[in-house]
Amino acid sequence: MGKRIEELLESFRRKEAAYDVVLVHLDSFYLIARGNPGLLSLAAVLHREGFTVKVLTPLDLFSLSLSDIEGFFTASRPSVIGFYTNSDNIFPVKDLARKAKKWVPSAKIIAGGPLASALGEELLSWPFFDALIPGEGEEGIVAYAKYLVRGEGTLGGVPSMIYRSGAQVLKNPQAPLIEDLDSLPLPDHALTSVGRPQVLTITSGRGCPFGCAFCFQVVHGRRYRFRSPEHVVAEITENLERYNLNVFSLGDDTFVANPPRVRKICELLGEYRKKSERDFAFYCEGRADIFSRSPDLLDTLREAGLIRLQVGIESGDQSVIDAYRKGITLGQVEDLVAHAARLGGMSLVGHFIVGGAFETEKTVRKSIDFARHLIEMAPGVFETGVGFFCPYPGTEISMRPSDFDIIVKDPLFLDNLSTLEASCATKSLSIERLRVLRQIFHREIDKVMKRTCGKIPYRRVCDHFRWAQRYGLTSFRYSYLREHEALNKYFFHLGSPRFFRIEDFGRRSLDEIIPMRTLALLEYDNEGRSLLLRGSTRSMKLQDPRQIFIYRRSCGKQSLAAIASEFRERFEPEAEVESLVSHYFLPFYKKLEKHYYMNFYQ
């Protein structure tokens, strides 16, 4: 990150040309690596219309001093400063917007994003906001820029805008939803400060066709509109090549909602992989009911490069799921997890909610039991996270919480990020008890994750280390596996082209194979007569002097031929070296290798 920061500071400290529009994504400094496809889309539309535009990312605002940020605004003198707003960033946005108004008094400060759509004119109670553009902002931001920068049109003609006119607050007609998403230019990361994505997130569609009571869809609506497969894959491949990336996220709430379209995207990705010979992987979100109706879809996604699928489970109690109107069953979740386990080569992340609709001690316990069951069904594949219920503004539950037995205590989420602290109680559970129950949830999941580490097949363990090393994607399971020193060294060694496994010995001679145990430290027991092997998913105890000799000598200093020759002299003087290797060394090495205690190099 150091080089990026230096480039960023240099670009911000030099005298910039004036910008017409600056778009700001200020997030919590707990979340500085997030991307914002929505702002990039607005920037691309403005750029196509001939406006100069810059997008400030959370990392920009983290990496720069306040004086650097002030210097950027005063030097670039934007006509419009637009802020993305949500429930977790509104107070930092409020503070920076107030400062920006002081730095550039002539600039118009506008707000968009989920909170602008949910709260509307309430945000104009803060005097430094001049206007809001709720809903999809492309048409409105271009019209507003034309009005301010070029003197074209009128304020009343800016679609969707809510603004002050004297003492009045006026609302312009809402712009219709964009039907042809392919008509929008591809989001352009060159419009950010350094010009490359922090996280490559592709939005392939807008809206959600499902009616979950806790879900916020005020911005894009309940109808799922989507880009063509060709348009989506063009954005993916352009960015992979332009920035030499090998991983991306499909960030739609429900990317899999239209299976035929998903299959076509996967087909095009497969063709690109074959043609370009590029290695890449991706992750996305899905729903258990869709995979239940189209079970082959998971295979198709996996073949195209899917390595992480996120699904909302919400609860282990079917009545709670039904109260959310989630539209899935626990049986569908089990079927999906079982399918992912059979398929392998991917992780499936199921998310749970604590403290939501009609939550009781019993329903939380059911969620804990169900999560443990799924982990044990698919060790190394299924993993889970849990957060508190969030009454986001504009959702059905936030508007009628009592209908769901929910008592909202902190509607502004002032104590923490929205999912990390309880902001609601239920009729059965106080906030204090919900906090305890989530701690219990975490403890129980921690226990089963640790307990099942030794049950994970070798190929699945390889997957988690490969995803971390090759793509920078660290799964929940990886955080448990990497705690074992032997596993860390084992896969670190295999990251070198010089290292290999027993199955890869091939025609190498014994003089060309050098055994190297993964643990350098020798831990003795029984007054030095035994060796303890710890640091993997399974501990071992070596008591046979012959095995102890082989293990001690296998420290990366001698060839297999040399170790076997010395072994013969000491233990089997009448035997042939090749016979000893075949009948004694290799079975022992395979046992060590199975539990990540042995590597080999040439």
Side-chain angles (χ1 to χ4, degrees):
M1 192 169 81
K3 182 179 178 181
R4 172 188 166 86
I5 291 175
E6 288 304 316
E7 292 173 346
L8 184 152
L9 288 170
E10 175 61 26
S11 69
F12 274 37
R13 284 170 176 161
R14 66 175 179 259
K15 294 298 182 182
E16 301 274 1
Y19 285 111
D20 297 319
V21 181
V22 172
L23 301 174
V24 183
H25 179 194
L26 174 59
D27 217 325
S28 164
F29 290 140
Y30 294 115
L31 303 169
I32 61 172
R34 287 191 172 187
N36 194 312
L39 286 189
L40 287 175
S41 179
L42 298 183
V45 170
L46 286 163
H47 185 69
R48 183 177 65 182
E49 294 296 324
F51 295 101
T52 54
V53 58
K54 181 70 74 176
V55 178
L56 301 188
T57 70
L59 183 56
D60 299 334
L61 298 165
F62 173 80
S63 304
L64 297 167
S65 70
L66 190 61
S67 61
D68 286 326
I69 297 171
E70 178 183 0
F72 166 75
F73 277 111
T74 56
S76 58
R77 305 182 306 280
S79 298
V80 181
I81 302 173
F83 285 90
Y84 169 83
T85 65
N86 61 28
S87 293
D88 279 331
N89 79 351
I90 187 59
F91 290 98
V93 162
K94 173 184 174 182
D95 180 64
L96 186 57
R98 177 178 56 81
K99 290 182 172 72
K101 192 69 171 177
K102 180 181 177 180
W103 296 332
V104 192
S106 61
K108 296 298 183 181
I109 311 292
I110 65 172
L115 212 60
S117 298
L119 299 183
E121 62 187 272
E122 287 184 41
L123 287 186
L124 291 182
S125 63
W126 290 333
F128 35 79
F129 283 133
D130 295 296
L132 314 173
I133 301 182
E136 293 182 334
E138 282 86 357
E139 190 174 344
I141 192 71
V142 167
Y144 194 42
K146 287 181 177 179
Y147 170 76
L148 287 176
V149 178
R150 299 173 183 169
E152 298 177 8
T154 64
L155 269 180
V158 178
S160 308
M161 178 166 280
I162 303 173
Y163 60 100
R164 293 190 199 87
S165 179
Q168 290 183 298
V169 172
L170 302 180
K171 297 182 180 180
N172 293 341
Q174 187 74 29
L177 295 174
I178 300 171
E179 296 298 331
D180 181 11
L181 296 178
D182 283 4
S183 67
L184 298 173
L186 296 180
D188 188 355
H189 295 274
L191 300 176
T192 63
S193 60
V194 172
R196 62 176 287 112
Q198 297 165 242
V199 177
L200 179 57
T201 302
I202 308 296
T203 301
S204 80
R206 295 181 177 181
C208 180
F210 305 99
C212 300
F214 55 74
C215 187
F216 180 84
Q217 285 296 337
V218 175
V219 175
H220 296 304
R222 292 290 183 188
R223 185 165 53 84
Y224 187 45
R225 294 158 290 130
F226 42 83
R227 299 160 57 191
S228 68
E230 292 77 9
H231 201 252
V232 173
V233 174
E235 182 183 354
I236 293 169
T237 57
E238 177 180 304
N239 282 285
L240 293 183
E241 294 181 0
R242 186 177 185 182
Y243 302 110
N244 193 28
L245 302 173
N246 64 359
V247 65
F248 60 92
S249 165
L250 288 157
D252 309 42
D253 290 334
T254 312
F255 169 66
V256 301
N258 185 315
R261 171 177 169 270
V262 173
R263 292 189 185 96
K264 181 61 177 178
I265 290 173
C266 290
E267 177 187 332
L268 293 173
L269 286 174
E271 291 174 358
Y272 171 72
R273 184 190 299 274
K274 184 177 181 180
K275 179 181 177 180
S276 67
E277 298 184 343
R278 292 185 69 91
D279 170 47
F280 59 85
F282 65 91
Y283 51 105
C284 69
E285 296 186 24
R287 286 175 54 97
D289 57 331
I290 294 176
F291 287 107
S292 178
R293 293 190 292 270
S294 303
D296 67 302
L297 192 61
L298 190 62
D299 301 69
T300 302
L301 285 162
R302 173 66 193 89
E303 186 177 350
L306 175 73
I307 60 174
R308 182 183 179 96
L309 174 68
Q310 297 184 184
V311 296
I313 301 172
E314 324 311 354
S315 177
D317 187 295
Q318 188 64 52
S319 67
V320 174
I321 293 174
D322 294 341
Y324 289 138
R325 294 200 304 277
K326 178 74 178 179
I328 66 170
T329 67
L330 296 177
Q332 290 171 339
V333 172
E334 286 183 301
D335 289 344
L336 176 59
V337 172
H339 188 171
R342 291 192 300 271
L343 191 59
M346 60 173 291
S347 69
L348 175 60
V349 185
H351 287 281
F352 287 84
I353 294 172
V354 167
F358 306 103
E359 196 82 274
T360 65
E361 188 100 13
K362 183 178 180 180
T363 63
V364 176
R365 296 286 180 176
K366 282 187 173 181
S367 292
I368 294 171
D369 290 343
F370 192 55
R372 287 190 306 199
H373 165 63
L374 296 176
I375 292 170
E376 290 169 345
M377 273 183 63
V381 171
F382 183 79
E383 47 195 38
T384 187
V386 58
F388 288 112
F389 173 76
C390 303
Y392 290 121
T395 61
E396 181 179 348
I397 295 184
S398 74
M399 293 186 287
R400 297 185 290 104
S402 61
D403 289 358
F404 298 86
D405 278 4
I406 287 174
I407 305 163
V408 180
K409 299 288 189 178
D410 180 15
L412 299 179
F413 312 112
L414 289 173
D415 285 337
N416 209 326
L417 298 182
S418 53
T419 62
L420 298 183
E421 178 56 276
S423 57
C424 301
T426 73
K427 289 185 178 180
S428 299
L429 297 170
S430 67
I431 280 183
E432 292 73 21
R433 185 56 186 165
L434 285 169
R435 290 173 183 148
V436 171
L437 287 171
R438 193 184 70 154
Q439 289 175 342
I440 293 172
F441 200 124
H442 280 299
R443 283 201 301 267
E444 292 300 312
I445 296 307
D446 184 65
K447 288 178 185 177
V448 71
M449 289 289 278
K450 288 179 178 176
R451 188 175 69 245
T452 54
C453 273
K455 298 180 180 179
I456 304 174
Y458 174 81
R459 291 296 177 190
R460 293 184 190 172
V461 175
C462 289
D463 285 337
H464 290 279
F465 278 87
R466 178 171 57 87
W467 299 334
Q469 293 169 356
R470 186 176 299 177
Y471 307 116
L473 287 178
T474 53
S475 62
F476 298 158
R477 175 60 75 175
Y478 175 72
S479 67
Y480 287 88
L481 294 172
R482 71 189 300 269
E483 291 179 356
H484 299 93
E485 181 186 358
L487 265 73
N488 266 330
K489 289 295 185 182
Y490 179 86
F491 287 104
F492 173 75
H493 290 159
L494 288 183
S496 164
R498 294 188 63 185
F499 278 79
F500 47 87
R501 301 176 64 227
I502 291 174
E503 65 181 27
D504 301 317
F505 276 9
R507 296 186 177 182
R508 291 183 176 94
S509 69
L510 299 184
D511 286 320
E512 296 176 311
I513 299 170
I514 302 175
M516 183 170 179
R517 60 180 187 261
T518 54
L519 298 176
L521 182 65
L522 296 172
E523 185 177 355
Y524 292 94
D525 190 24
N526 193 24
E527 296 183 349
R529 292 188 292 272
S530 303
L531 274 177
L532 294 179
L533 278 59
R534 293 190 282 208
S536 186
T537 55
R538 175 183 169 181
S539 297
M540 296 176 65
K541 186 173 186 178
L542 305 182
Q543 296 177 298
D544 184 338
R546 301 183 180 203
Q547 291 185 345
I548 291 173
F549 171 83
I550 295 173
Y551 183 78
R552 282 164 54 94
R553 285 293 192 271
S554 299
C555 61
K557 294 185 175 181
Q558 294 177 287
S559 69
L560 180 51
I563 298 172
S565 296
E566 186 180 354
F567 180 92
R568 181 185 63 178
E569 292 175 7
R570 181 172 297 197
F571 298 105
E572 298 280 351
E574 303 299 322
E576 296 292 332
V577 167
E578 290 78 6
S579 176
L580 290 174
V581 169
S582 177
H583 294 97
Y584 203 91
F585 278 67
L586 289 184
F588 179 52
Y589 278 149
K590 286 179 180 178
K591 184 178 180 181
L592 292 172
E593 186 183 64
K594 179 180 179 181
H595 300 293
Y596 313 102
Y597 289 116
M598 189 60 61
N599 283 127
F600 306 88
Y601 75 91
Q602 184 174 20

